[in-house]
Every structure is written in C-alpha cells, then in structure tokens.
Amino acid sequence: MKDIYGLLDAIHEAFSRPEYQPRNGVTHCNQFCHEVVSKMGFKGFEGLMANQIIDMLNEHDMWSEVDMSKVQDLANAGTLVVLGTHGEPHGHVSIACPGRLKTSGRWGQVPTVASVGKENMIRGMNWVFSDMPKCYAYRPTL
C-alpha cells in the first residue's frame, strides 16, 4: 500500500540515527536501507551488504525494476524505491525520497534520494552515485 507519510517517517527516523554516521571509513547504507524497508513491510535485507541487496532486488518477486525517470513520481506517491550500484569491495544503496527532481549535468533530471554513506545526505541522485544506479520499486507500495 502506498503511504507517503509512512515512507517519510521511515526515512527520517533512520536517517537521523547517530550510529549511521560514517566512522573510520565504515559506512552504513545497507543498515539504513534495511531499517527503512523493514518499516515499510519488507524484512529481507537484514545482514546483507549493498551488493547482496542489489542482487536480491534483481531476483525477488516483491521488487520490480523501474526506470529512473519514474522514480521521483513514485516516491512522491508513497512508493518505496531502492536505488543501487554494485562496487568493490561493496556497492551502495539508497532510498528515493519524496521531493523535487534535481538537475544533473550528466543525467538531466534525477530523483532526490536519502543516502547514508561516506557522507550522509538527502540530495539529487547525482551527488550519491558515480554510475547510473538500478532502481527497484517495492510492489506492495506501487
């Protein structure tokens, strides 16, 4: 079920946790995403690293890959969308955040994301990812 207020609450409650602040090169995007998606009803990310989360999203029948051009409208309607890229030693995942499209010189109009990583921020996706991420919508919130 779409729930924009539940999505905003889940994002902001998790985003404000001091334990998700980067320390000594250790980041917590996977834990942040796990907390948000758990509050929205999906319990499958616990203990997974970013690359494993992306692999699960790609294969799990509760998630559908969506085009980046649709992500902001989906988030603004209360749909849970996870964005991610593989990397070594681990990738990165973030959550689409209700808001306005941002302008990227490289990708044009991009969605706003809540990202916990080397720097914690809510900004345009272009500030978070160096490569175009894949985007996955949680089907029960479509």
Side-chain angles (χ1 to χ4, degrees):
M1 167 195 284
K2 292 181 182 188
D3 181 5
I4 191 167
Y5 299 114
L7 178 59
L8 282 167
D9 284 348
I11 290 168
H12 290 286
E13 287 171 18
F15 191 80
S16 65
R17 293 199 187 285
E19 58 266 32
Y20 295 156
Q21 292 298 313
R23 284 185 198 83
N24 304 317
V26 177
T27 60
H28 306 278
C29 68
N30 56 325
Q31 295 163 319
F32 167 73
C33 284
H34 165 68
E35 181 173 338
V36 173
V37 301
S38 291
K39 287 180 178 176
M40 294 298 291
F42 186 76
K43 308 295 184 195
F45 289 2
E46 187 170 8
L48 300 181
M49 299 299 286
N51 285 341
Q52 295 169 311
I53 289 172
I54 297 162
D55 292 341
M56 173 189 279
L57 293 170
N58 202 38
E59 298 169 5
H60 201 285
D61 63 357
M62 295 298 285
W63 295 88
S64 293
E65 189 170 352
V66 295
D67 189 81
M68 190 265 302
S69 66
K70 298 180 180 181
V71 169
Q72 192 64 67
D73 286 338
L74 289 169
N76 288 348
T79 297
L80 173 62
V81 181
V82 176
L83 296 83
T85 56
H86 280 100
E88 291 302 325
H90 55 82
H92 185 65
V93 288
S94 67
I95 304 286
C97 188
R100 294 192 172 119
L101 286 169
K102 308 295 189 254
T103 300
S104 164
R106 181 173 32 164
W107 294 324
Q109 297 293 296
V110 298
T112 300
V113 298
S115 178
V116 167
K118 292 179 185 175
E119 181 181 345
N120 294 356
M121 63 180 89
I122 297 176
R123 295 189 78 171
M125 171 194 92
N126 55 305
W127 288 91
V128 175
F129 294 100
S130 56
D131 295 319
M132 179 66 74
K134 288 190 173 186
C135 310
Y136 299 90
Y138 183 45
R139 286 186 180 182
T141 63
L142 281 171

